[in-house]
Amino acid sequence: QVQLVESGGGLVQPGGSLRLSCAASGIIFAIYEMGWYRQAPGKQRELVATINSGGSTNYADSVKGRFTISRDNAKNTVYLQMNSLKPEDTAVYYCKAKISTSQTIGRDYWGQGTQVTVSS
């Protein structure tokens, strides 16, 4: 069974930085796209950033120039470096990965989320 576990969330002041990690575990044949999504109180979940197996990235306009997504394929881990954080970045951040196993091909898996709070 595949599981995704996020870590690195917390409370920071505006202008501060955080680094989120998401590690996939289980019997995995391949991981394709990985990404980060977030959901603020009273709002729908939105895409933050994605990275494919070749390292190509996409970002939401609201985080371009401030956030950087990366991955370590040997560790089945995706990271999100968040700099110049703003109060509007406050949300629960979720990891998603498209994964192939012996049972399914290219299925999306979600982590349980990690809270990021930006406040002075």
Side-chain angles (χ1 to χ4, degrees):
Q1 183 177 345
V2 174
Q3 292 186 344
L4 271 58
V5 179
E6 302 101 332
S7 62
L11 173 64
V12 296
Q13 295 183 346
S17 297
L18 282 175
R19 182 177 174 86
L20 306 183
S21 299
C22 173
S25 62
I27 303 175
I28 297 170
F29 288 165
I31 301 179
Y32 306 101
E33 291 88 2
M34 306 184 80
W36 291 94
Y37 296 72
R38 66 187 182 187
Q39 188 166 21
K43 301 193 68 175
Q44 292 188 309
R45 190 172 300 184
E46 64 177 355
L47 183 148
V48 177
T50 61
I51 182 168
N52 68 16
S53 58
S56 181
T57 59
N58 288 297
Y59 297 93
D61 288 341
S62 59
V63 307
K64 286 181 179 177
R66 299 188 297 121
F67 291 10
T68 302
I69 188 170
S70 61
R71 63 191 287 171
D72 185 334
N73 292 330
K75 296 181 178 180
N76 290 338
T77 300
V78 63
Y79 306 94
L80 185 68
Q81 179 66 46
M82 304 185 294
N83 299 324
S84 301
L85 283 162
K86 305 175 181 180
E88 50 263 46
D89 295 318
T90 295
V92 177
Y93 283 70
Y94 297 91
C95 175
K96 187 178 80 171
K98 188 179 296 293
I99 296 174
S100 290
T101 69
S102 63
Q103 297 176 297
T104 60
I105 304 298
R107 176 192 165 181
D108 288 335
Y109 292 83
W110 289 88
Q112 291 187 317
T114 184
Q115 177 71 49
V116 172
T117 302
V118 185
S119 179
S120 59

